[in-house]
Amino acid sequence: MEPSLSPIRSLRGHTDWVQEVVFSKNGNKLRVISTSDDKTVRIWEVETGEHENLLDGHASGTLGLAVSTDGRRIVSGMVDGKIIVWDADTKGIIKCLSHHTMRVDCVRFSPDEKRLASISSDGTLKIWDAETWEVVFNIDDHQDKLWTVAYSPNGTKIASGSFDQTVRVWNAATGKQQTQPLSHGAAVRSIVWSLDSRRLISACDDGQIYFWSAPTGAQLGSALRAHSNAINLLAISPDGELIASASRDHTARLWSTSTRKPFGRVLQHASTVCTVAFSPDGCLVATGGGEHTIFLWDISQEIIMTSVVSPTFVSPAPHITSYIDQSSANSPPALDELLDGAGFPSDTVGLHDAATLSSPYLLHRDLSNFETPTAVRTPPPVELSDGIQVPPETVNSRDAAASPSPSLPPQRSSYPQIVTASASTPVLASPPKSFWKRFPMFNRSAASVDFKRWKFPHIGSIIAGIGMRDPMIPSISRLIVHIFTSCYSCHPWFYHMYCASLTQPS
């Protein structure tokens, strides 16, 4: 059973399924606005949890929802294909748009709020002038009903997702298609944009999340197996570092956009989760669905539990030499501890916690993965149910500035394990290798060195004998053998210097 977060508040009042929720801030007041199959739009005050207003008068269930930045205009799409524009202050209807012929599941304002995009199961995408409420242009290129639409943050593009298993990107000014259709393996339910407008993130009925390059239409890496059932909606945090997914598998989950790893605990429900939204400060998440209730979740504690992970590629040699050269005053770990797999001390710590975290110990798994991640506090490993694909090295990190970006294919090699001084450190699945054995060049005993490669076998025998006569320093003798081998192969005069040193009196 995977750990789940507990909601801090439940907003009750709807009598049927909650279809969509949006946070809205007007002055110092933070509100949640919701649509429902009970044919109403409701407004809630977050601080008190009180039901503040009710927008009634819909002839059918309410689905899609958009709210202006100032919170004064609310747009709701309905099952009967109509769109109603509301004045939030007077609770009066500004305009009723009836151009769609089937249910309107998604409506979105453009970033400058001068236009409104709407999609419908009638297979059309319509762009409206938000002042005159006239249709600017109509797009019907999809081959099946549409389910989602999203403006890019810079306002130049519009993306639409359909049951024809494609996402299409359009020029927001002309309505012309920008790229080839982005093909998926199932119906596309939701789309969000990265804050720089260069990447698209889409979710499907197959429970997977896809990452795309908006300029080229290329898929960025493999799809993320996020849920065991269809994903109904995606939301992206205000800082662009998290995405939230709501699913029919009765969960909502948080993911890091930079690492594509699960973030924090699961938001568990008793029924299908239809919608999810972030608050303007990114500290709260609202969800709703088949329980007829809106749940508020405080994810700020999940954020505090993490720090930055910033892998960089470095050579192991400086770490080796710096460790050997450390003075005893620095109290380095004993050689026996290194041989038992404790690893080298690293001076790199999390950027947010540099003043408080103790130096971690870096465990290299193989020679091809020389990365130096910063320290990170992680909760115990989570084993997810229902076949959800979660890598065993899951890192709850929101600030993975230099971690693999969605713009790059995910690497098959896993990140190095990190051991911290915390008592809550998870136990590794298998005993780590001793330090020297992590480097292939040190994996042999000194006595096993191939002396045929030496022009002067006597020298190899002398050095190998160090390790055989003195069992306390076998690893040091191996190091000497290989350093000597490298030096001699490049500088033959090194041999003559060594012979001269052997003949000098001690």
Side-chain angles (χ1 to χ4, degrees), residues 39 73 77 99 137 171 180 200 234 350 353 482 490 498:
K39 305 180 183 180
R73 288 187 297 177
H99 290 58
F137 50 81
N171 184 298
Q180 292 297 316
L200 270 169
L234 291 179
D353 302 309
H482 291 284
C490 297
Y498 181 81

Side-chain angles (χ1 to χ4, degrees), residues 242-255:
L242 292 178
I243 51 175
S245 54
S247 172
R248 285 186 199 163
D249 67 6
H250 300 185
T251 69
R253 298 180 185 272
L254 303 174
W255 310 88

Side-chain angles (χ1 to χ4, degrees), residues 393-416:
E393 72 281 7
T394 294
V395 176
N396 287 338
S397 173
R398 184 171 189 173
D399 303 305
S403 298
S405 166
S407 62
L408 297 174
Q411 300 178 1
R412 292 190 179 275
S413 59
S414 56
Y415 294 110

Side-chain angles (χ1 to χ4, degrees), residues 21-41:
V21 294
V22 173
F23 280 95
S24 175
K25 192 168 186 178
N26 188 357
N28 294 325
K29 271 194 173 184
L30 182 62
R31 296 179 173 89
V32 168
I33 303 172
S34 58
T35 59
S36 169
D37 286 343
D38 64 9
K39 305 180 183 180
T40 66
V41 173

